[in-house]
């Protein structure tokens, strides 16, 4: 609350001067773009430097950092002038919009400026900053004691990395990222458990919680967040090659900080996320939901704005139609004629602003026809008015779709024509998910108690899964399940040897991989052979080969 009131008072004192400074900067940059006069660029830099001083005084770290990057780019002679001008323009717009949002919301969240800062840094050839750049945390607090695992995770690390990568690819390509998150989560669960008692554990503990936060609270999958998990994969590769000593490196520390920042954005205070917030003394000043709202404010109009725009366009088109009717009858006054031209020009300008350049040019192209109307013969006037009317009709039809996405007729036909075949598939998929869930719970209960009674019904459940897979023509999946049944019968149920927890975890990975493969197949036509190959590799690790 104090932050809100302090920013409100501080901004209130300098608001008018700051708005004037940024407006002057915009004018000087515009003049420089037209004249290429270095004096205008110098004046632009002076105004940005003046604004930077204000940001520093108000302790607006994000705005200060962006202004500093802008000044650095201005003085960078290695960047081409056209590229520099374009980036400076976008950076200034981002800075101005941020200040407007800050004045309205009265809360400073510098993370919102990270994309703009990185855009400028990229052009200057500098390394991008991370979303946690403005986040402070102690990476070496006193952590709770955890029980060391009773299985050796080291032989399983390459396979766990493959599972992580299979999930990561889905997240990076935006192909069923929910399944991608589940695969990543499964690998992280085993890494966190298997590396307890080592210097690597705090990192994987945090990584698991960060993933949970992103999934549970539906974080936006920004480019920085997708690349965050790509960096985790690189660190995992280094760990497999060089051991847990890699977690003393600067790269590991930076990545750990990024993960803790992700956790700080979650509103959750209990469970795994709550435990980490308590251990690392994380105090959240903003949540992901708040950032989503402010990102929308920064990015411009939303769907509601487009609806309003569409409505305004309809009214404007109607007014133009009425004016054209009067023009056709020869009763349009000079003032009305000027207003008609102005309306068309405004429509063209707005269309270009919302990236409807083709429509804007179409309307602009009719302005000459409107101007020429007064000197045309009756027959020529009819032809000219028809061309103008066609252009207006095109805009009117297009305005219905501003900001909206409609389902294609092909997709509708597919849904309508699905019939009983799809109903049957749904029943089979339900049978598979139910059987796998029962089997995984049974294996987990057996691991905890070593009581084979927990496995009494697993054979029947997996047999049902196998039958459903055969009906779905998923023969390789069915064979993997058959091998899983064999493993349980030969190595667990009919064996007097104590249960090997590590090997039972491998079996759980087999069933999990099948579950995620079927989930992907049931929801889309995207290939999931990489997930299936994980199941094949896992069952092979248990001594059963599937071709």
């Amino acid at each position: 609350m104090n932050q809100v009131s302090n920013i409100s008072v501080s901004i209130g004192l300098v608001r008018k001067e700051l708005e004037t400074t940024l407006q002057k900067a915009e004018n000087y940059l515009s003049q420089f773009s037209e004249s290429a006069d270095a004096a205008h660029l110098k004046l632009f830099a002076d105004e940005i430097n003046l604004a930077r001083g204000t940001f520093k005084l108000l302790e607006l770290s994000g705005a200060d950092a962006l202004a500093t990057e802008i000044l650095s780019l201005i003085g960078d002679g290695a960047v081409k002038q056209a590229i520099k001008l374009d980036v400076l323009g976008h950076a200034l717009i981002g800075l101005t919009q941020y200040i407007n949002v800050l004045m309205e919301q009265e809360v400073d969240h510098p993370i919102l400026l990270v994309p703009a800062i990185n855009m400028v840094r990229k052009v200057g050839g500098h390394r991008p900053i991370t979303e946690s750049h403005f986040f402070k945390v102690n990476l070496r607090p006193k952590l709770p004691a955890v029980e060391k695992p009773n299985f050796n995770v080291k032989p399983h690390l390459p396979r766990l990395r493959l599972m992580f990568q299979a999930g990561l690819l889905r997240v990076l390509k935006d192909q069923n990222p929910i399944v991608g998150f589940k695969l990543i989560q499964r690998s992280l669960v085993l890494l966190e458990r298997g590396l307890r008692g080592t210097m690597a554990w705090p990192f994987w503990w945090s990584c698991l919680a960060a993933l949970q936060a992103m999934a549970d609270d539906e974080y936006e999958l920004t480019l920085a967040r997708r690349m965050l998990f790509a960096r985790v994969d690189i660190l995992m590769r280094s760990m497999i090659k060089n051991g847990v000593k890699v977690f003393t490196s600067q790269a590991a520390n930076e990545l750990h900080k990024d993960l803790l920042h992700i956790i700080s954005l979650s509103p959750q205070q209990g469970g795994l996320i709550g435990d980490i917030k308590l251990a690392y003394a994380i105090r959240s000043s903003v949540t992901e939901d708040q950032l989503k709202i402010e990102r929308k404010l920064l990015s411009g109009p939303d769907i509601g704005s487009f609806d309003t725009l569409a409505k305004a366009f309809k009214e404007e088109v109607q007014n133009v139609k009425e004016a054209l009717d009067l023009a056709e009858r020869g009763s349009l006054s000079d003032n009305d004629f000027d207003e008609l031209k102005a309306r068309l020009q405004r429509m063209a300008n707005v269309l270009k602003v919302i990236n409807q350049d083709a429509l804007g040019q179409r309307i602009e192209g009719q302005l000459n026809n409107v101007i020429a109307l007064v000197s045309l013969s009756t027959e020529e006037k009819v032809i000219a008015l028809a061309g103008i009317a066609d252009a207006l009709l095109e805009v009117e039809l297009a305005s219905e779709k501003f900001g909206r996405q409609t389902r294609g007729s092909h997709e509708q036909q597919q849904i309508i024509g699905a019939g009983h075949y799809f109903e049957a598939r749904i029943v089979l998929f339900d049978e598979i998910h139910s059987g796998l869930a029962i089997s995984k719970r049974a294996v987990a209960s057996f691991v905890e108690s070593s009581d084979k009674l927990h496995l009494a019904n697993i054979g029947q459940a997996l047999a049902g899964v196998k039958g459903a897979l055969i009906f779905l023509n998923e023969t390789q999946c069915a064979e993997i399940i058959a091998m899983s049944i064999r493993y349980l019968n030969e190595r667990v149920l009919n064996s007097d040897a104590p249960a090997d927890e590590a090997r039972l975890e491998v079996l759980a990975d087999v069933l999990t991989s099948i579950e995620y493969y079927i989930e992907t197949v049931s929801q889309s036509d995207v290939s999931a052979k990489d997930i299936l190959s994980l199941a094949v590799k896992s069952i092979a690790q248990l001594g059963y080969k599937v071709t």
Side-chain angles (χ1 to χ4, degrees), residues 20-30 44 47-48 92:
T20 301
T21 298
L22 292 175
Q23 184 60 54
K24 283 184 179 179
E26 184 180 338
N27 291 337
Y28 287 134
L29 186 62
S30 178
F44 169 71
E47 296 300 329
I48 293 296
L92 181 60

Side-chain angles (χ1 to χ4, degrees), residues 473-516:
N473 202 30
E474 293 288 349
T475 52
Q476 191 176 29
C477 274
E479 189 178 352
I480 293 169
I481 294 297
M483 293 300 114
S484 301
I485 296 171
R486 274 189 61 189
Y487 169 77
L488 283 166
N489 289 331
E490 295 172 3
R491 308 287 177 84
V492 181
L493 292 174
N494 298 322
S495 173
D496 296 327
D500 185 335
E501 184 178 342
R503 294 179 74 79
L504 285 170
E505 286 291 358
V506 175
L507 176 64
D509 287 345
V510 172
L511 301 180
T512 299
S513 298
I514 294 295
E515 181 182 17
Y516 295 160

Side-chain angles (χ1 to χ4, degrees), residues 215-335:
D216 289 354
D217 301 317
E218 298 181 349
Y219 283 32
E220 286 187 15
L221 280 177
T222 62
L223 177 61
R225 289 168 182 176
R226 293 175 196 271
M227 296 313 297
L228 173 67
F229 285 98
R231 289 161 58 207
V232 170
D233 175 60
I234 293 171
L235 188 64
M236 195 188 306
R237 179 185 66 189
S238 182
M239 179 187 74
I240 293 170
K241 183 178 179 182
N242 303 310
V244 296
K245 64 182 180 182
V246 300
F247 290 94
T248 61
S249 67
Q250 183 180 349
N253 288 334
E254 289 176 353
L255 189 49
H256 195 179
K257 181 188 173 189
D258 292 342
L259 294 168
L260 292 172
H261 175 251
I262 290 288
I263 294 166
S264 77
L265 299 178
S266 171
Q268 298 182 50
Q269 298 300 329
L272 174 62
I273 291 171
D275 290 343
I276 288 188
K277 283 185 175 182
L278 184 63
Y280 286 89
I282 294 173
R283 300 288 180 267
S284 302
S285 60
V286 61
T287 65
E288 175 65 12
D289 284 342
Q290 290 172 285
L291 290 179
K292 285 179 182 178
I293 293 170
E294 293 179 13
R295 285 193 200 103
K296 282 187 177 180
L297 293 174
L298 282 177
S299 63
D302 58 11
I303 296 301
S305 301
F306 279 110
D307 287 340
T308 303
L309 178 64
K311 185 178 179 181
F313 255 89
K314 286 181 182 178
E315 293 175 359
E316 195 74 353
V317 167
Q318 188 58 41
N319 290 332
V320 172
K321 283 180 178 177
E322 291 173 1
L324 290 175
D325 286 340
L326 292 174
E328 187 178 10
R329 294 196 297 268
S331 55
L332 191 66
S333 68
D334 289 343
N335 287 338

Side-chain angles (χ1 to χ4, degrees), residues 55 57 123 136 221 237-238 363 389 526 538:
F55 300 147
L57 182 67
V123 171
K136 307 298 180 187
L221 280 177
R237 179 185 66 189
S238 182
I363 292 294
V526 176
S538 297

